[in-house]
Amino acid sequence: MAFNRDESLAVALVFIGCCTNVVTLEVIVKQDKGAGNLITFAQFLLVAVEGIVITSRFFTRSSVIPLKFYALMVTMFFSVSVINNYALNFNISMPLHMVFRASSLVANLLLGIIILRKQYSLSKYVSVLLITIGISTCTIVSGRAMKSDQSDSDGSFSTWLIGIAMLVFALFVSALMGIYQEVLYKNFGKQPREAMLWTHLMPLPGFLMLYSDIVQHASLFSQSEPVSFMQFSVPNLWLMLLANTLTQYVCIRGVFYLTTTSPSLTVTLIVTLRKFISLIFSIFFFRNPFTPYHWIGTACVFGGTLLFTDVIQLPGQKPRDKKE
């Protein structure tokens, strides 16, 4: 697979931005598991400010899609972002978190059948079955490890179950948001930069509901181990948050740039490969527990994803149907 200059730049942004973002997130979570709301707020704020300056030119450009249509999408996007990050506070390991985030095709297919009345080929159902087996394997093995390592008297396993429920809920809300966004783009045309602005700007007042939690963890960040930086002493967690926020922006822009320069199949392959590399790095660099059963489950998830997007095909499968 050969890339031109623009595609190479986009791929570089995706791998550098997204992989580094996962690393900084895990560094933060290792020191403060409950920092999800603070991290989400910082990420939203940066993207919103950039959108105000670059996309809307300080609101001098009118929105192509009427703002009233963004209300539902904003609510779903805000909920998914907060829940996914906050789930890490419920004994969810980063590898399991990443496996769930990589399994959105299951929810997409189920909601596509129920809401859009779509029909899929046999390979799509086989791929979703593989992904479901993979998620189930990783979840069951992690649950057994949680039960054996810690007694349930302190509520650790119950807390973990709540975290799993949060990830499942976010998975389906994210798929529902994708369907709604598909309908909006069908009616008004694709407006990814505009959507990125309003989905990050409009939810900002919602963080007032999380004010006390954000302030509490900001205080913990200020008390973290200081790092000398240009003759100044800066708490290391604030530096990690800055790095996380900037790399999240690079990641988002990289994916956006890639979608404008490459076919959808290439985008899916690159994003899937990026997620797999992030998972491998998390397992080996941060020494997260990962059994052979986890590896089998992970192989099912990523193999199913590649099968769903026709990167790999079933024996005797016909060439890709462009209508799907």
Side-chain angles (χ1 to χ4, degrees):
M1 181 184 295
F3 295 112
N4 59 37
R5 183 177 179 180
D6 289 339
E7 289 175 327
S8 297
L9 175 61
V11 170
L13 290 174
V14 169
F15 277 99
I16 294 173
C18 300
C19 291
T20 306
N21 179 257
V22 172
V23 172
T24 56
L25 176 61
E26 186 146 7
V27 170
I28 294 173
V29 170
K30 289 286 186 183
Q31 298 185 57
D32 184 5
K33 287 185 177 180
N37 291 330
L38 176 58
I39 295 169
T40 307
F41 173 70
Q43 293 174 346
F44 272 54
L45 184 62
L46 176 65
V47 176
V49 170
E50 187 272 346
I52 291 172
V53 176
I54 304 299
T55 304
S56 73
R57 295 286 192 264
F58 296 98
F59 303 112
T60 57
R61 292 180 177 176
S62 58
S63 176
V64 176
I65 301 176
L67 295 185
K68 64 180 180 180
F69 291 108
Y70 279 118
L72 180 58
M73 187 163 72
V74 164
T75 302
M76 291 188 286
F77 183 67
F78 176 73
S79 301
V80 169
S81 300
V82 170
I83 290 172
N84 271 329
N85 279 341
Y86 199 59
L88 293 169
N89 196 35
F90 289 80
N91 296 329
I92 300 295
S93 68
M94 279 299 294
L96 183 59
H97 191 268
M98 283 186 274
V99 168
F100 261 89
R101 295 289 295 273
S103 307
S104 58
L105 289 175
V106 176
N108 289 340
L109 181 136
L110 290 177
L111 292 184
I113 294 172
I114 296 171
I115 298 176
L116 300 179
R117 306 295 183 185
K118 286 187 175 181
Q119 294 183 345
Y120 297 91
S121 64
L122 175 62
S123 65
K124 298 296 188 275
Y125 292 107
V126 172
S127 65
V128 165
L129 178 62
L130 278 174
I131 295 171
T132 303
I133 292 173
I135 299 174
S136 301
T137 302
C138 290
T139 303
I140 291 170
V141 173
S142 297
R144 287 178 177 174
M146 182 66 64
K147 270 190 169 180
S148 61
D149 291 345
Q150 302 179 25
S151 65
D152 198 40
S153 59
D154 60 358
S156 297
F157 182 69
S158 300
T159 300
W160 178 82
L161 285 177
I162 294 174
I164 293 296
M166 291 171 69
L167 290 178
V168 172
F169 176 77
L171 199 66
F172 279 89
V173 174
S174 179
L176 186 61
M177 181 180 68
I179 291 175
Y180 182 71
Q181 183 172 297
E182 183 180 330
V183 172
L184 283 184
Y185 285 173
K186 184 178 181 180
N187 293 331
F188 297 98
K190 289 188 176 182
Q191 309 296 332
R193 290 300 304 274
E194 177 186 295
M196 191 167 75
L197 163 63
W198 294 114
T199 53
H200 286 80
L201 177 62
M202 292 176 71
L204 288 180
F207 286 100
L208 290 173
M209 297 184 295
L210 308 172
Y211 174 79
S212 58
D213 181 78
I214 291 173
V215 170
Q216 176 188 351
H217 289 282
S219 176
L220 292 176
F221 273 40
S222 297
Q223 297 170 26
S224 63
E225 189 73 24
V227 175
S228 298
F229 181 74
M230 296 180 64
Q231 299 183 344
F232 293 98
S233 182
V234 182
N236 76 88
L237 281 179
W238 282 115
L239 285 179
M240 284 294 103
L241 180 61
L242 176 62
N244 177 268
T245 306
L246 292 175
T247 53
Q248 173 73 4
Y249 173 75
V250 172
C251 176
I252 292 174
R253 286 302 304 272
V255 173
F256 164 73
Y257 195 30
L258 187 63
T259 59
T260 61
T261 59
S262 306
S264 59
L265 189 62
T266 301
V267 174
T268 303
L269 180 59
I270 295 300
V271 171
T272 301
L273 183 59
R274 191 282 301 170
K275 290 177 180 178
F276 185 74
I277 291 176
S278 295
L279 178 65
I280 298 299
F281 197 86
S282 174
I283 294 167
F284 289 103
F285 185 80
F286 291 98
R287 299 187 182 281
N288 284 305
F290 216 71
T291 67
Y293 292 106
H294 283 102
W295 282 113
I296 293 173
T298 300
C300 288
V301 168
F302 285 100
T305 301
L306 295 177
L307 179 61
F308 190 95
T309 55
D310 294 319
V311 174
I312 58 176
Q313 295 183 334
L314 292 175
Q317 182 179 344
K318 295 180 180 180
R320 186 184 181 191
D321 184 356
K322 293 181 181 180
K323 292 182 180 181
E324 282 188 341

